[in-house]
C-alpha cells in the first residue's frame, strides 16, 4: 500500500513537472520543503540550486606535449625492444588517423616495451654505450610526457564534454543503471594508475577494451546530471534545516518532551516525503557520486591539472576541496540530519522511540 502511494505521488510530480520548466526531481524537493514550512508556520521561498559550472573550453584543457621525433628511432637497432613494428604502425596512414583512445594505447604500449627493454640492453655487451644513452633518453622523455598524455586523453575529448554538458537534467527519480559508465571510468583510472606507478602486475590485455570504455562514457553522460542532483539536494537540505532551526530558535516545538498535534504532523511529513521518497533518491545519488568523485580524485592525484582548470576540477571531480560540490552536499546532508534530530528529540518522536 505504501509503495502504491509513493507511485501515485511520483506520477503527480511527473505530470506537474511536464507543465513547467521544473524537473520532477525539483518538484519533489520543493514540495517537501514547502510542506515543512507550512507545518512550522515559517515564511518560505524556494531557493533555486545554483547552476553547475561549465566545463572550460578545450583550448584551456589541452596541454602541449614536448615533441619526440620518433622517425629518428628507425635508425636505432631496437629489434630487441620490439618497438619498430609499433612505431611503423603508428606512422602509417591509418595510424596517423587513429582516435585519441588508440593514441593512448600506443603511448602505453611504447612505454611498457621500452621499460622492459632497459634491463635487456643494460646486460647486452653488444649494445654500444651511445645507443644505450639514446634509448634511456627516449625512455625518460616518454616517462615525463605520460601524465600529460593521460590528462589529454581523459579530460580533453568529446567523452568528457558529453558527460559534463550543462544542458542535461538531474539524475532521474526513477533510478537508472550507470554501471557501464562508472565501470569504464574505473577501468581507465586503473590503467592510468597502473601505468604511471609501474605496476608490474598490470594486464595490458585490458587495453583492447579502451575504445569500449570511451564509448560507454560518451553514450551514458553522467557528470552533469550527477552534479545537478547534488546541488539540488544541497539546496533542499539547507532550506529544510534552516526552516527547522529558525522555528526552534523562535519557539520550541515541544515542551518537556511532550508531543503535540503539530509535532505529529511534522513527523508525518518527514516520513511521507523524506523517508519514503527523497531518502531513496538521495541514497542513489550518493552511491553514484561516491564512485564518481573517488575515481576522479584517485586519477587526478597523478595527473598535472592545468592552472586554469584547477577551480573547475576542485568542484566537479575532487573531494578534498572546500569548493567541492560533493563536500557541499555532504555538509548540507549533515546539517539536515542534525536539524531533524533536534526537533524529533525535543518532541520525543525519534523513530526508535514509541509515539
Amino acid at each position: 500500500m505504501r509503495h502504491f502511494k509513493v507511485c501515485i505521488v511520483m506520477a503527480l510530480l511527473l505530470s506537474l513537472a511536464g507543465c513547467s520548466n521544473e524537473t520532477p526531481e525539483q518538484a519533489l524537493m520543493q514540495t517537501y520543503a514547502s510542506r515543512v514550512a507550512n507545518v512550522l508556520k515559517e515564511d518560505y521561498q524556494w531557493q533555486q540550486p545554483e547552476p553547475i559550472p561549465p566545463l572550460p573550453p578545450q583550448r584551456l584543457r589541452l596541454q602541449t606535449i614536448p615533441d619526440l621525433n620518433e622517425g629518428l628511432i628507425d635508425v636505432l637497432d631496437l629489434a630487441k625492444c620490439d618497438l619498430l613494428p609499433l612505431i611503423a604502425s603508428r606512422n602509417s596512414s591509418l595510424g596517423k588517423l587513429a582516435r585519441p583512445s588508440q593514441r593512448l594505447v600506443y603511448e602505453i604500449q611504447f612505454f611498457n616495451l621500452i621499460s622492459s627493454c632497459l634491463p635487456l640492453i643494460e646486460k647486452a655487451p653488444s649494445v654500444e654505450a651511445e645507443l644505450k644513452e639514446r634509448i634511456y633518453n627516449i625512455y625518460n622523455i616518454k616517462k615525463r610526457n605520460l601524465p600529460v598524455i593521460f590528462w589529454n586523453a581523459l579530460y580533453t575529448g568529446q567523452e568528457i564534454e558529453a558527460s559534463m554538458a550543462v544542458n542535461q537534467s538531474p539524475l532521474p527519480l526513477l533510478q537508472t543503471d550507470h554501471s557501464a559508465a562508472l565501470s569504464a571510468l574505473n577501468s581507465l583510472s586503473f590503467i592510468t594508475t597502473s601505468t604511471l606507478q609501474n605496476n608490474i602486475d598490470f594486464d595490458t590485455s585490458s587495453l583492447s577494451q579502451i575504445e569500449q570504455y570511451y564509448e560507454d562514457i560518451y553514450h551514458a553522460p553522467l557528470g552533469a546530471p550527477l552534479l545537478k542532483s547534488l546541488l539540488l539536494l544541497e539546496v533542499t537540505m539547507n532550506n529544510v534545516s534552516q526552516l527547522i532551526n529558525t522555528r526552534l530558535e523562535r519557539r520550541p516545538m515541544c515542551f518537556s518532551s511532550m508531543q503535540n498535534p503539530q509535532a505529529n504532523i511534522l513527523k508525518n511529513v518527514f516520513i511521507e516525503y523524506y523517508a519514503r521518497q527523497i531518502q531513496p533518491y538521495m541514497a542513489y545519488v550518493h552511491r553514484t557520486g561516491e564512485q564518481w568523485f573517488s575515481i576522479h580524485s584517485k586519477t587526478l592525484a597523478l595527473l598535472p591539472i592545468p592552472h586554469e582548470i584547477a577551480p573547475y576540477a576542485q568542484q566537479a571531480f575532487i573531494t578534498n576541496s572546500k569548493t567541492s560540490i560533493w563536500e557541499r552536499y555532504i555538509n548540507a546532508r549533515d546539517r539536515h540530519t542534525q536539524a531533524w534530530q533536534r526537533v524529533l528529540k525535543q518532541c520525543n518522536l525519534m523513530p526508535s522511540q514509541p509515539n
Side-chain angles (χ1 to χ4, degrees):
M1 185 65 179
R2 288 180 178 177
H3 178 71
F4 177 74
K5 289 181 179 179
V6 170
C7 290
I8 292 295
V9 173
M10 292 290 190
L12 289 172
L13 289 170
L14 286 168
S15 63
L16 290 172
C19 301
S20 69
N21 292 326
E22 291 180 356
T23 63
E25 298 75 31
Q26 182 169 323
L28 173 60
M29 301 300 163
Q30 285 187 253
T31 301
Y32 168 53
S34 65
R35 291 291 188 274
V36 172
N38 289 340
V39 175
L40 297 176
K41 294 180 171 54
E42 288 291 320
D43 293 333
Y44 164 73
Q45 185 174 3
W46 170 257
Q47 296 178 10
Q48 292 288 345
E50 67 180 64
I52 64 171
L55 180 69
Q58 188 192 53
R59 61 181 174 79
L60 294 179
R61 288 179 282 126
L62 190 64
Q63 299 190 57
T64 302
I65 300 173
D67 185 38
L68 173 63
N69 187 354
E70 291 167 358
L72 295 178
I73 301 176
D74 293 340
V75 303
L76 305 179
D77 183 12
L78 294 182
K80 293 181 181 179
C81 297
D82 294 325
L83 278 168
L84 296 184
L86 182 65
I87 295 169
S89 174
R90 175 71 173 88
N91 290 338
S92 69
S93 57
L94 290 177
K96 292 178 180 178
L97 297 175
R99 294 182 178 183
S101 56
Q102 293 307 309
R103 294 173 189 163
L104 176 61
V105 170
Y106 165 79
E107 294 292 346
I108 296 172
Q109 290 176 332
F110 189 105
F111 182 73
N112 288 340
L113 285 172
I114 199 168
S115 297
S116 61
C117 183
L118 294 182
L120 298 178
I121 64 168
E122 194 62 41
K123 297 176 182 178
S126 59
V127 180
E128 297 178 356
E130 183 180 351
L131 177 56
K132 290 181 181 179
E133 183 179 351
R134 288 201 297 270
I135 296 174
Y136 270 99
N137 185 46
I138 294 169
Y139 165 80
N140 288 328
I141 292 173
K142 286 292 186 181
K143 185 175 182 179
R144 285 196 303 269
N145 289 350
L146 266 180
V148 178
I149 290 168
F150 272 103
W151 165 268
N152 285 346
L154 300 180
Y155 291 97
T156 67
Q158 60 180 356
E159 295 78 17
I160 197 68
E161 291 174 355
S163 184
M164 308 308 294
V166 299
N167 60 342
Q168 302 179 73
S169 298
L171 295 176
L173 290 174
L174 301 176
Q175 301 179 19
T176 54
D177 183 13
H178 301 286
S179 58
L182 288 169
S183 177
L185 285 169
N186 192 56
S187 296
L188 289 173
S189 177
F190 176 75
I191 291 171
T192 303
T193 55
S194 297
T195 303
L196 297 182
Q197 294 178 339
N198 294 322
N199 182 359
I200 59 174
D201 297 324
F202 173 42
D203 183 6
T204 56
S205 64
S206 62
L207 297 178
S208 63
Q209 298 297 314
I210 275 189
E211 196 67 41
Q212 186 61 53
Y213 300 152
Y214 274 66
E215 289 183 11
D216 289 342
I217 295 169
Y218 180 78
H219 291 297
L222 179 57
L226 171 63
L227 297 184
K228 286 190 174 183
S229 294
L230 291 173
L231 289 172
L232 178 59
L233 286 168
E234 178 201 28
V235 76
T236 304
M237 302 297 109
N238 283 338
N239 280 342
V240 171
S241 60
Q242 184 176 5
L243 284 168
I244 294 173
N245 289 327
T246 300
R247 170 63 174 81
L248 295 181
E249 289 166 7
R250 178 168 56 83
R251 186 172 183 268
M253 174 72 71
C254 301
F255 294 91
S256 302
S257 298
M258 296 294 292
Q259 300 170 19
N260 56 56
Q262 186 185 29
N264 287 323
I265 294 173
L266 183 64
K267 183 180 180 182
N268 287 337
V269 170
F270 174 81
I271 293 173
E272 291 297 328
Y273 285 93
Y274 178 71
R276 291 181 181 164
Q277 297 179 62
I278 293 177
Q279 201 281 330
Y281 176 71
M282 188 164 70
Y284 154 59
V285 173
H286 185 99
R287 289 193 303 271
T288 305
E290 201 168 37
Q291 295 178 74
W292 169 272
F293 279 89
S294 174
I295 292 169
H296 283 288
S297 292
K298 181 170 60 177
T299 303
L300 288 172
L302 300 174
L303 304 183
I305 303 175
H307 177 73
E308 298 86 353
I309 311 302
Y312 179 86
Q314 289 167 359
Q315 293 181 76
F317 299 128
I318 296 173
T319 55
N320 58 343
S321 164
K322 291 182 179 179
T323 59
S324 168
I325 291 175
W326 174 257
E327 290 300 318
R328 289 170 50 183
Y329 148 73
I330 292 293
N331 292 335
R333 180 204 63 181
D334 292 346
R335 283 191 291 268
H336 179 263
T337 300
Q338 292 162 7
W340 273 111
Q341 288 176 343
R342 182 183 177 191
V343 68
L344 293 176
K345 284 180 179 178
Q346 187 181 94
C347 297
N348 196 30
L349 284 171
M350 287 293 288
S352 60
Q353 298 173 339
N355 290 345

